[in-house]
Amino acid sequence: MKKILLSLTLVAVIFTACNHSSKTKEMVKKDVFGTHNGKEVYLLTLTNKAGNVIRLTNFGARITWIEVPDKTGKKDNVAFGYDTFESTINGDPYFGAVIGRYANRIAKGKFTLDGVGYNTPLNDGPNTLHGGPAGWHSVVWNTEVLKDSKYPAVKFTYVSPDKEEGFPGTVNVAVVYTWTDNNEIVMDYTCSTDKKTVVNLTNHAYFNLHGAGNGDILDHELVIKAASFVPVDSTLIPSGEIRPVAGTPFDFTTPHTVGERIAENYDQLVYGKGYDHTFVLDNKEEVDATVYEPVSGRLMEVITDQPGVQFYCGNFLDGSMIGHGGKPYIYRSGLCLETGHYPDSPNHPDFPTTVLNPGETFKSTTIYRFSVK
Ligand code: GAL
């Protein structure tokens, strides 16, 4: 059902795209942001009909700016990022990036496919995090402005070589960002491989609906349509248990602020140093998660066809990252809703599979939609 709803959205986007060519050119502005490893890095400014702006860069296929109005019409950027390429490359590795080849953790950097063992770099204690230190967040993607789209749209592509960060197979990956007039960032991912491999893709944007750099997110009201979540050990690797959220501080099936139960003495909040867990999405309704910030009235909705979402509330932020406008990103000043598969799925045959075979195409869509209420 979920796949059908998202396919219909995609068909609608493509249909309108075909009906309205010409318009897009001025809606996507492409500026040089810097160079990295001999490749040009761009800053792409996408403006929709409502006059709202997002900015992307092909360094890590990132979202670096999302400027949307509050309930009085005042616009502010709600996404973490940096004003210059130099600060982007020296800053937090993940802000707004596409994470691959395997988003989230792989226990001890080891997994097996058809009896062959693979090792990936350990960059998070004993585990591999986010595809390894030189994962897809850190490479320069090719950039194509989709001129025939009604909405401003940019396609980033990358060819990940066989054995990159230890993963088997040459993988062709594409992500199309479309910024609709309804203030939706539609992210369409496609992946194929020439050898059996594992793939788990996400976007790692950090959001603060007060405006990025304006205090913490503990007052943001969250709903996650998930009846269960994936408990982890102290290194944030799943035990294999899928635990019902009912009666726990992980029950966001009705609205709760992020801060309301975060200090409870609950094993998973202790291991995660707060929320840093994958929720098993019910995938029954159009919208999978919502974040509402009552002062500005901003509402963000998350829609995905993926089986899970990692809710991370910035427990590792400490104010040392200075972002847009010189603002420090303090402890718990941003939250992430990283759609995707469960952590360490390659070592959990009972979790939804992340295996990608030659001849198959991985396709997935996630939407971040902004409005006010
Ligand atoms: C999240 C992860 C956190 C932390 C963060 C990056 O996806 O769950 O534990 O590693 O990325 O700082």
Side-chain angles (χ1 to χ4, degrees):
M1 182 60 188
K2 207 50 203 288
K3 287 251 177 204
I4 296 172
L5 277 175
L6 280 163
S7 304
L8 285 175
T9 311
L10 184 58
V11 168
V13 169
I14 291 170
F15 179 75
T16 23
C18 296
N19 273 336
H20 304 69
S21 26
S22 74
K23 281 262 163 172
T24 312
K25 281 171 209 132
E26 318 79 66
M27 295 196 287
V28 181
K29 191 166 163 276
K30 185 175 167 191
D31 295 305
V32 175
F33 201 33
T35 52
H36 184 56
N37 292 340
K39 291 188 184 145
E40 247 176 9
V41 176
Y42 304 108
L43 184 67
L44 298 123
T45 303
L46 288 72
T47 307
N48 67 10
K49 278 228 177 77
N52 296 320
V53 168
I54 65 166
R55 293 202 172 92
L56 311 172
T57 172
N58 59 325
F59 176 67
R62 286 161 199 245
I63 301 172
T64 174
W65 182 270
I66 303 169
E67 194 180 318
V68 283
D70 68 7
K71 62 188 175 196
T72 70
K74 188 179 153 281
K75 293 184 187 183
D76 204 347
N77 164 51
V78 297
F80 281 20
Y82 300 95
D83 292 328
T84 64
F85 178 61
E86 203 192 356
S87 44
T88 305
I89 198 155
N90 294 321
D92 184 279
Y94 307 123
F95 288 175
V98 169
I99 310 292
R101 183 175 305 197
Y102 195 91
N104 220 310
R105 291 169 174 85
I106 296 179
K108 302 192 167 59
K110 286 185 194 306
F111 63 94
T112 303
L113 288 172
D114 292 341
V116 181
Y118 296 95
N119 293 292
T120 51
L122 309 182
N123 60 337
D124 189 62
N127 306 315
T128 302
L129 176 68
H130 294 335
W136 296 351
H137 59 277
S138 68
V139 301
V140 179
W141 297 52
N142 301 315
T143 305
E144 187 189 346
V145 176
L146 298 182
K147 296 206 164 110
D148 285 335
S149 172
K150 174 188 179 188
Y151 302 120
V154 175
K155 181 179 188 178
F156 296 124
T157 57
Y158 176 61
V159 181
S160 167
D162 185 26
K163 300 280 155 54
E164 186 182 43
E165 297 294 76
F167 292 96
T170 303
V171 168
N172 278 277
V173 56
V175 56
V176 175
Y177 286 100
T178 304
W179 179 225
T180 75
D181 292 337
N182 202 22
N183 295 335
E184 297 158 311
I185 303 176
V186 182
M187 297 170 285
D188 293 304
Y189 301 93
T190 317
C191 239
S192 60
T193 182
D194 64 355
K195 269 191 208 138
K196 190 168 193 162
T197 193
V198 290
V199 158
N200 183 27
L201 298 183
T202 197
N203 178 282
H204 208 307
Y206 286 66
F207 302 98
N208 182 327
L209 299 183
H210 291 294
N214 297 344
D216 66 43
I217 45 76
L218 295 174
D219 63 349
H220 285 40
E221 293 170 14
L222 181 64
V223 172
I224 305 178
K225 292 176 188 160
S228 51
F229 75 106
V230 182
V232 290
D233 67 14
S234 61
T235 72
L236 302 183
I237 294 295
S239 58
E241 179 194 356
I242 301 293
R243 192 181 294 178
V245 296
T248 81
F250 286 68
D251 188 347
F252 285 98
T253 55
T254 55
H256 290 274
T257 65
V258 174
E260 186 183 327
R261 299 163 298 178
I262 201 166
E264 282 184 20
N265 187 18
Y266 182 71
D267 66 339
Q268 290 302 313
L269 288 170
V270 175
Y271 289 150
K273 299 181 173 57
Y275 297 102
D276 194 354
H277 294 77
T278 294
F279 286 69
V280 176
L281 291 171
D282 300 338
N283 276 150
K284 285 191 188 136
E285 296 167 51
E286 193 217 359
V287 174
D288 295 289
T290 61
V291 187
Y292 174 63
E293 188 277 287
V295 180
S296 68
R298 289 193 183 94
L299 174 75
M300 181 177 100
E301 295 168 293
V302 182
I303 297 158
T304 189
D305 53 16
Q306 291 294 283
V309 63
Q310 178 87 1
F311 166 45
Y312 168 61
C313 63
N315 307 309
F316 298 120
L317 298 170
D318 60 7
S320 59
M321 294 294 164
I322 310 296
H324 290 301
K327 292 180 178 172
Y329 295 137
I330 60 169
Y331 184 50
R332 294 183 173 157
S333 63
L335 65 82
C336 305
L337 288 164
E338 305 156 53
T339 58
H341 278 252
Y342 313 166
D344 200 29
S345 297
N347 294 308
H348 288 273
D350 46 332
F351 287 178
T353 185
T354 52
V355 171
L356 183 66
N357 290 297
E360 293 173 355
T361 304
F362 168 88
K363 275 183 188 291
S364 166
T365 300
T366 292
I367 300 170
Y368 294 135
R369 181 193 291 154
F370 299 88
S371 58
V372 287
K373 74 168 192 185

